[in-house]
Amino acid sequence: MAYKDEQLNEEKVFKDPVHRYVHVKDRIVWDLIAAPEFQRLRRIKQLGTTYLTFHGAEHSRFNHSLGVYEIVRRMIGKFTNYPHWNREERILSLCAALLHDLGHGPFSHSFEKVFKLDHEQFTRKIILEDTNIHRILKRVSPEFPKQVADVIAKTYADKLVVSLISSQIDADRMDYLQRDAYYTGVSYGHFDMERILRVMRPIEDQVVIKSTGMHAVEDYIMSRYQMYWQVYFHPVTRSAEVILSKILHRVKFLYETGYTFKLKPTHFQSFFNQEITLRDYLRLDEAVVYYYFQSWLEEDDFILYDLCERFINRRLFKYIEFNPNTQMKEWMELYRLFQDAGIHPDYYLVVDSSSDLPYDFYRPGEEEERLPIHLQMPNHELKELSRHSDIVESISGKKRTDHKLYFPKDLLEAVKDHKLKKQIKEILYGQGEGQLVD
Amino acid sequence: MLTNHAKLIKFFHVATKVTGRKKLQKIIYILQQCNIPFEEKYRFHIYGPYSEELTLRVEELCNLHFLDEIKEDKGHYYQYHYQITSAGNDFLNQFSLDMPDMEEKVSLLNGQSSRFLELVATMLYFADLEKSDVEAKVHELKPKQKYSAEEIARAWGFIDEVI
């Protein structure tokens, strides 16, 4: 029997708090899960620094990847008898779903920004270069690894296959919304996925929703909207993210300026030098990052020490709302005053914007730039969701951006020059400290 | 602070006016390929390279009144027009931005249709492939656009000129 079709003697199940069970019967899926590159995902948290806000959010990319695989497995089970669904694409879809986040690194959002990386490129490298994952995929056919990589990169010819893991209502989002809601403990991310799976219809190059399922999709869009504001965009999480980025910036700066570290940052060297090999990338997980953060507490550089201490002990920056249009002059003045106070503004006075985050909202079709969610009406006509749903329309046009100014309140309080401190506080808090959020 | 916003405002300052979100997306992508240091991350979407970060950043600039966005109903879709405001120019003046000169490239790109820029951006997205594979990829991923051999030849010429 071809490897692609090989089945396990008995079905394996993973107990899962979101989907109850994740079912595996295909040999290739079982082998991929066992590969070291996939097991590494156990050591990468799905939500990065969010655990500092919602203590339950310790779940990993491993859990999520299994969840996306399980949703795609269920979708395909329902698509089997539809004419546009090509049954030959089943194993490709399952592998792509399982491996779609393979290239994520520790705290990948901050790492990508500071070191100019792209986890999708690493996903592609892990699939196409000499790895266990590659060898397993290649047993299907020499072209199979490339097909899997193309589906994940959305450059595979069969758009229907791509849309299962990358569209406005895909298995990726459906899993992370439910999983992140479960682990953070919030009550927002819930929607009736079973119902959505029942009303999904594969047609030509996309999955559309039978119009009677519109309300289930409205719930999904609302949960996405709520999760964005309440979890993903949480200002405290953003504060932790700001500190994490500044640690990476500081250590990079120190390395580049010849600082002598007490513990040589071996695991980071190729990142500093922009010569990252796949081996270097794969061996950097969160455990390694935390080890270095701990070791940097022993460094003589105060800024590095202080930022690491804040991150490890959750002494985060405070923040105020900031409007770059009306407060630019204040910011420039603050920058100067921070310098005068001996608080390095490049590390301790940080504006964070909504566009700095890797999450998005549902957006209706805009000049065909993104494929919207389509409802299939009883006469088979397709209608864009927000043109038919008042609820979705009402949140589609809302202002969804903001900017916050982060700073360490404790360092300000410690400024000895009272006049200077007063000047800074007047700009930050205006007449009082009402704006300040602890 | 807000350096990436400032870079975009600088672009709008140079371009004066941009019509169409698709066009904007593709112009910034092509400028990135010309080593103009825009940092928005692009992914391949159904219609070519697309950056969610850029979409959101432009939305932020509009909300801050640094950019004017005019929405025009074209019947089956909306078209958007962008123009820098005086507040946007003031913001830019407070910034010491180190950006290479892009005036010529922006003018050249802004003068093209969004359909053509979509083709050019898609070809650049697959720049690491052989020329014939790039063309095959264009036909494979964009069968509905039905790009002709002449358009593709013109796009190769354009890439040579602009990159």
Side-chain angles (χ1 to χ4, degrees):
Chain A
M1 184 188 283
Y3 181 57
K4 176 180 176 246
D5 303 317
E6 222 176 284
Q7 301 286 294
L8 299 171
N9 291 335
E10 61 176 11
E11 184 178 67
K12 305 281 187 187
V13 288
F14 292 80
K15 196 80 185 80
D16 185 82
V18 176
H19 307 305
R20 291 199 66 231
Y21 290 102
V22 174
H23 303 253
V24 179
K25 192 77 202 292
D26 298 283
R27 161 68 61 192
I28 185 173
V29 172
W30 188 244
D31 290 346
L32 288 170
I33 292 170
E37 297 88 3
F38 191 81
Q39 290 291 319
R40 166 186 160 276
L41 296 178
R42 291 181 188 271
R43 304 188 297 277
I44 312 271
K45 275 194 276 295
Q46 172 71 13
L47 285 180
T49 59
T50 301
Y51 74 97
L52 290 167
T53 310
F54 299 94
H55 67 265
E58 299 265 1
H59 54 305
S60 69
R61 300 250 177 222
F62 180 89
N63 312 24
H64 166 63
S65 299
L66 284 184
V68 176
Y69 153 81
E70 176 61 16
I71 296 175
V72 167
R73 193 190 68 79
R74 292 183 195 181
M75 280 179 180
I76 292 173
K78 294 185 188 297
F79 288 176
T80 308
N81 295 321
Y82 284 94
H84 291 107
W85 174 249
N86 179 358
R87 291 185 199 189
E88 292 296 312
E89 305 282 33
R90 178 182 163 277
I91 207 74
L92 174 64
S93 306
L94 293 178
C95 292
L98 187 71
L99 303 179
H100 78 285
D101 268 353
L102 198 58
H104 267 292
F107 307 112
S108 51
H109 183 57
S110 293
F111 264 76
E112 289 182 19
K113 290 269 180 204
V114 176
F115 297 117
K116 311 267 185 273
L117 305 172
D118 183 350
H119 72 269
E120 290 209 358
Q121 278 179 16
F122 282 100
T123 300
R124 198 167 176 84
K125 277 172 176 276
I126 298 168
I127 290 171
L128 297 179
E129 293 185 8
D130 184 24
T131 61
N132 294 279
I133 292 283
H134 176 75
R135 284 188 284 279
I136 293 166
L137 294 172
K138 214 173 161 187
R139 287 178 67 189
V140 173
S141 75
E143 307 77 41
F144 193 63
K146 174 131 193 330
Q147 290 174 345
V148 173
D150 282 350
V151 172
I152 295 170
K154 308 180 200 75
T155 55
Y156 187 65
D158 188 336
K159 295 281 187 286
L160 185 54
V161 174
V162 173
S163 73
L164 301 185
I165 53 166
S166 308
S167 64
Q168 297 274 6
I169 185 160
D170 59 21
D172 185 19
R173 285 197 172 91
M174 283 203 274
D175 184 80
Y176 77 59
L177 287 173
Q178 295 179 92
R179 192 167 300 279
D180 296 347
Y182 177 87
Y183 282 99
T184 52
V186 300
S187 57
Y188 320 109
H190 305 290
F191 56 92
D192 188 349
M193 187 179 79
E194 288 308 313
R195 174 82 181 135
I196 291 178
L197 294 182
R198 281 178 65 84
V199 294
M200 281 182 149
R201 298 285 182 270
I203 61 158
E204 293 179 16
D205 57 359
Q206 61 174 311
V207 178
V208 299
I209 306 292
K210 192 180 167 192
S211 60
T212 52
M214 184 180 79
H215 300 300
V217 180
E218 284 176 338
D219 252 6
Y220 159 82
I221 298 289
M222 283 305 290
S223 80
R224 199 169 147 187
Y225 183 82
Q226 296 274 26
M227 285 295 282
Y228 188 92
W229 284 114
Q230 307 294 340
V231 176
Y232 304 132
F233 211 39
H234 197 290
V236 175
T237 307
R238 287 163 68 185
S239 175
E241 203 72 38
V242 162
I243 292 174
L244 179 62
S245 294
K246 292 300 170 189
I247 291 174
L248 299 176
H249 275 297
R250 184 64 183 175
V251 77
K252 184 168 180 273
F253 169 80
L254 291 174
Y255 178 83
E256 286 169 353
T257 50
Y259 175 87
T260 308
F261 288 90
K262 289 179 179 166
L263 174 73
K264 208 172 168 189
T266 318
H267 288 76
F268 286 85
Q269 249 162 316
S270 63
F271 287 80
F272 298 148
N273 297 330
Q274 296 283 301
E275 294 166 346
I276 309 150
T277 63
L278 190 50
R279 184 175 168 276
D280 293 332
Y281 190 79
L282 287 171
R283 69 181 184 150
L284 194 76
D285 58 28
E286 282 178 10
V288 173
V289 171
Y290 277 111
Y291 170 73
Y292 277 100
F293 284 8
Q294 285 283 355
S295 77
W296 291 337
L297 291 179
E298 306 301 321
E299 290 295 343
D300 295 330
D301 180 73
F302 173 76
I303 294 177
L304 182 61
Y305 155 80
D306 179 65
L307 293 170
C308 288
E309 195 276 328
R310 285 174 189 280
F311 190 77
I312 288 170
N313 295 324
R314 200 192 176 280
R315 283 198 314 112
L316 306 178
F317 290 173
K318 307 304 177 200
Y319 66 92
I320 55 168
E321 298 299 325
F322 179 73
N323 183 335
N325 188 349
T326 55
Q327 293 174 287
M328 198 56 195
K329 285 198 175 70
E330 280 104 317
W331 182 84
M332 290 164 85
E333 180 65 4
L334 273 174
Y335 191 93
R336 192 185 61 75
L337 293 171
F338 266 55
Q339 281 177 319
D340 291 349
I343 304 172
H344 200 317
D346 289 345
Y347 296 97
Y348 292 107
L349 187 66
V350 185
V351 176
D352 185 70
S353 305
S354 34
S355 58
D356 292 331
L357 289 167
Y359 298 97
D360 60 352
F361 284 103
Y362 174 69
R363 293 168 194 279
E366 293 158 346
E367 297 176 40
E368 298 185 328
E369 197 53 56
R370 309 185 62 180
L371 198 61
I373 297 176
H374 280 124
L375 295 175
Q376 188 177 46
M377 310 313 284
N379 63 0
H380 292 279
E381 190 190 343
L382 297 184
K383 289 207 165 174
E384 195 277 310
L385 177 65
S386 69
R387 300 220 174 193
H388 206 66
S389 159
D390 293 339
I391 290 175
V392 175
E393 195 207 1
S394 70
I395 61 168
S396 291
K398 288 271 177 274
K399 177 177 175 288
R400 295 162 293 195
T401 62
D402 84 344
H403 309 267
K404 288 186 172 25
L405 180 63
Y406 287 90
F407 57 92
K409 189 182 173 205
D410 54 306
L411 286 189
L412 291 182
E413 294 297 345
V415 171
K416 292 203 170 69
D417 181 333
H418 291 288
K419 193 178 158 206
L420 188 59
K421 182 161 50 174
K422 189 164 172 267
Q423 274 180 295
I424 293 175
K425 288 173 98 171
E426 271 175 7
I427 296 176
L428 284 173
Y429 313 138
Q431 294 304 308
E433 298 197 11
Q435 280 193 76
L436 176 72
V437 185
D438 281 322
Chain B
M1 184 203 68
L2 299 167
T3 308
N4 288 321
H5 295 78
K7 288 178 185 176
L8 287 175
I9 297 176
K10 173 79 179 171
F11 161 77
F12 285 106
H13 173 78
V14 171
T16 320
K17 193 176 178 184
V18 179
T19 295
R21 287 183 173 175
K22 186 195 282 187
K23 188 172 196 173
L24 173 64
Q25 284 276 343
K26 304 319 177 217
I27 290 177
I28 298 294
Y29 179 76
I30 295 167
L31 288 172
Q32 275 187 358
Q33 304 312 302
C34 300
N35 294 322
I36 310 284
F38 292 109
E39 292 190 15
E40 285 71 24
K41 195 170 274 182
Y42 275 81
R43 298 274 179 255
F44 199 86
H45 274 247
I46 306 288
Y47 300 100
Y50 171 82
S51 170
E52 181 67 30
E53 243 172 26
L54 176 62
T55 297
L56 195 52
R57 211 158 269 157
V58 168
E59 193 173 318
E60 285 171 349
L61 294 177
C62 293
N63 289 337
L64 290 168
H65 306 292
F66 291 160
L67 268 190
D68 255 347
E69 179 188 72
I70 297 165
K71 187 175 174 182
E72 185 188 356
D73 195 343
K74 293 284 223 183
H76 60 294
Y77 70 97
Y78 292 109
Q79 185 156 66
Y80 297 81
H81 305 267
Y82 295 97
Q83 211 164 352
I84 191 169
T85 62
S86 56
N89 276 319
D90 290 347
F91 178 81
L92 194 59
N93 289 335
Q94 297 177 69
F95 247 91
S96 53
L97 253 189
D98 186 20
M99 284 284 272
D101 178 31
M102 55 179 167
E103 211 149 317
E104 212 172 293
K105 287 186 197 306
V106 169
S107 159
L108 187 62
L109 290 163
N110 211 6
Q112 309 299 318
S113 70
S114 65
R115 173 186 161 86
F116 182 69
L117 293 175
E118 183 183 343
L119 173 63
V120 171
T122 303
M123 288 165 71
L124 286 170
Y125 196 83
F126 296 105
D128 54 341
L129 299 180
E130 295 290 325
K131 205 168 172 178
S132 57
D133 292 339
V134 172
E135 294 178 12
K137 207 74 184 164
V138 166
H139 292 303
E140 184 183 305
L141 293 172
K142 297 176 174 295
K144 288 178 184 166
Q145 280 87 334
K146 294 189 172 54
Y147 284 114
S148 67
E150 290 74 31
E151 279 178 297
I152 290 177
R154 201 188 135 222
W156 284 124
F158 186 82
I159 288 170
D160 284 342
E161 187 186 347
V162 81
I163 298 289

